[in-house]
Amino acid sequence: MTKKEKTMKKTTVFIQSPMGGEITPEEILVKVGNVDKVYVRIDQNKLHWVKGDDIGSVEIW
Protein backbone atom coordinates (compact mmCIF):
# COMPACT_ATOMS: atom_id res chain seq x y z
CA MET A 1 0.00 0.00 0.00
CA THR A 2 1.41 3.38 -0.99
CA LYS A 3 1.54 6.41 1.28
CA LYS A 4 -1.16 8.07 -0.83
CA GLU A 5 -3.45 5.06 -0.46
CA LYS A 6 -2.94 5.11 3.31
CA THR A 7 -3.91 8.80 3.60
CA MET A 8 -6.93 8.74 1.27
CA LYS A 9 -10.30 8.80 2.99
CA LYS A 10 -12.98 6.31 2.00
CA THR A 11 -15.29 7.68 -0.68
CA THR A 12 -18.87 6.48 -1.06
CA VAL A 13 -19.92 6.03 -4.70
CA PHE A 14 -23.58 6.23 -5.70
CA ILE A 15 -25.00 5.21 -9.07
CA GLN A 16 -28.16 7.19 -9.69
CA SER A 17 -31.06 6.69 -12.06
CA PRO A 18 -32.73 9.61 -13.86
CA MET A 19 -35.75 8.98 -11.59
CA GLY A 20 -33.63 9.49 -8.46
CA GLY A 21 -33.00 5.89 -7.37
CA GLU A 22 -29.55 5.30 -5.88
CA ILE A 23 -27.43 2.19 -5.40
CA THR A 24 -23.84 1.71 -4.24
CA PRO A 25 -21.30 -0.70 -5.72
CA GLU A 26 -21.47 -2.69 -2.47
CA GLU A 27 -25.26 -3.03 -2.80
CA ILE A 28 -24.83 -4.16 -6.41
CA LEU A 29 -22.45 -6.93 -5.33
CA VAL A 30 -24.96 -8.12 -2.73
CA LYS A 31 -27.67 -8.32 -5.42
CA VAL A 32 -25.59 -10.35 -7.90
CA GLY A 33 -23.57 -12.48 -5.48
CA ASN A 34 -20.21 -14.06 -6.29
CA VAL A 35 -19.74 -13.37 -10.02
CA ASP A 36 -16.84 -12.59 -12.36
CA LYS A 37 -18.27 -9.45 -14.01
CA VAL A 38 -21.21 -7.09 -13.57
CA TYR A 39 -22.50 -4.67 -16.20
CA VAL A 40 -24.69 -1.88 -14.80
CA ARG A 41 -27.38 -0.72 -17.25
CA ILE A 42 -29.33 2.07 -15.59
CA ASP A 43 -31.28 2.63 -18.83
CA GLN A 44 -32.56 -0.97 -18.64
CA ASN A 45 -32.85 -1.11 -14.82
CA LYS A 46 -30.66 -4.24 -14.98
CA LEU A 47 -27.48 -5.68 -13.56
CA HIS A 48 -26.15 -8.13 -16.14
CA TRP A 49 -23.68 -10.61 -14.64
CA VAL A 50 -21.23 -13.24 -15.88
CA LYS A 51 -19.83 -16.16 -13.90
CA GLY A 52 -17.77 -18.58 -15.97
CA ASP A 53 -20.08 -19.72 -18.78
CA ASP A 54 -23.23 -18.63 -16.91
CA ILE A 55 -24.95 -15.30 -17.54
CA GLY A 56 -27.97 -13.63 -16.03
CA SER A 57 -29.51 -10.38 -14.94
CA VAL A 58 -31.41 -8.89 -12.01
CA GLU A 59 -33.38 -5.69 -11.65
CA ILE A 60 -31.66 -2.83 -9.87
CA TRP A 61 -34.79 -1.23 -8.37
Side-chain angles (χ1 to χ4, degrees):
M1 186 177 285
T2 68
K3 183 178 179 182
K4 184 177 179 180
E5 290 172 329
K6 290 179 186 176
T7 60
M8 290 179 64
K9 69 175 186 162
K10 182 179 178 189
T11 301
T12 302
V13 176
F14 290 95
I15 300 165
Q16 187 177 54
S17 77
M19 301 300 286
E22 294 180 338
I23 191 166
T24 65
E26 294 82 10
E27 292 170 323
I28 289 170
L29 294 175
V30 169
K31 283 185 167 275
V32 297
N34 184 21
V35 297
D36 299 326
K37 297 178 184 180
V38 178
Y39 298 89
V40 179
R41 292 295 308 262
I42 298 298
D43 59 321
Q44 296 176 358
N45 188 32
K46 294 282 186 180
L47 302 170
H48 299 282
W49 56 264
V50 177
K51 183 173 183 175
D53 292 334
D54 294 331
I55 60 171
S57 65
V58 295
E59 290 189 358
I60 299 171
W61 295 283

